[in-house]
Amino acid sequence: MLRVFTFSFALLMAIGCLNTAAAQEDNLREEVVAALEQFLAGASINDPEVHDDFWAEELTYTSSSGHRYGKAQLMEGVRSAETPGADGDADADIIWYYAENIELKPLGEAVIVNFTLGAEADHKPESPGRRFLNTGVLIKRDGRWQAINWNATAAADTAD
């Protein structure tokens, strides 16, 4: 009888641990995807504050054009770029960025995020040449997820 009770208790504990792990994974996914979506919305309108919050100070960014740089250089580019509609043109086309095929790989205190970056203007998808495979390493600091490493690679043309 004691063995049955011990086995049953151990089984219940194992199931409880699995449920807790699944809930933690769901929570992590919700947090990271929300941070990514907030960043992409801010990047669509070239919001320097959103960029500054998302990119960690020790960022290493590898662009799809093959250049590697840190946060300071990235922020210079953000601040010098035009903001859509800043010239008073309320009808200015904004290219909205979005993430597809989001995959998370938790690694202790960090998470690797892989996704396909898409873009659309006026709710019309851009050409396939505007799709990029992105990989980022994010860590959570001060209650927010920040990228410490990022790679953007032009996606192969799937029309072949």
Side-chain angles (χ1 to χ4, degrees):
M1 176 75 168
L2 183 58
R3 277 190 223 176
V4 171
F5 175 75
T6 303
F7 176 76
S8 297
F9 181 73
L11 183 60
L12 287 174
M13 290 300 293
I15 291 170
C17 288
L18 289 175
N19 287 339
T20 300
Q24 288 173 338
E25 189 174 313
D26 287 347
N27 187 43
L28 174 70
R29 182 168 184 78
E30 286 177 21
E31 282 186 22
V32 173
V33 169
L36 180 61
E37 289 175 346
Q38 180 179 0
F39 166 70
L40 293 174
S44 297
I45 58 172
N46 197 39
D47 184 332
E49 188 175 316
V50 168
H51 278 277
D52 193 46
D53 283 346
F54 187 74
W55 304 117
E57 292 304 318
E58 67 272 33
L59 173 71
T60 300
Y61 186 98
T62 305
S63 72
S64 61
S65 61
H67 295 93
R68 182 170 286 160
Y69 41 86
K71 181 176 179 175
Q73 187 175 355
L74 184 143
M75 292 303 298
E76 273 182 42
V78 168
R79 289 187 178 103
S80 66
E82 283 187 35
T83 300
D87 60 0
D89 182 5
D91 294 328
D93 282 341
I94 295 176
I95 297 176
W96 294 100
Y97 298 108
Y98 58 91
E100 296 179 320
N101 308 317
I102 301 169
E103 173 188 72
L104 301 182
K105 295 181 180 180
L107 294 171
E109 298 296 314
V111 64
I112 296 172
V113 59
N114 295 303
F115 66 96
T116 303
L117 177 71
E120 66 178 44
D122 290 332
H123 306 290
K124 296 176 190 162
E126 293 291 302
S127 68
R130 301 231 3 143
R131 298 178 68 75
F132 296 89
L133 304 178
N134 282 252
T135 298
V137 178
L138 302 155
I139 57 173
K140 193 170 187 180
R141 289 188 179 144
D142 300 324
R144 69 179 190 266
W145 288 96
Q146 289 189 302
I148 61 170
N149 199 326
W150 201 265
N151 293 282
T153 303
D157 186 1
T158 56
D160 292 338

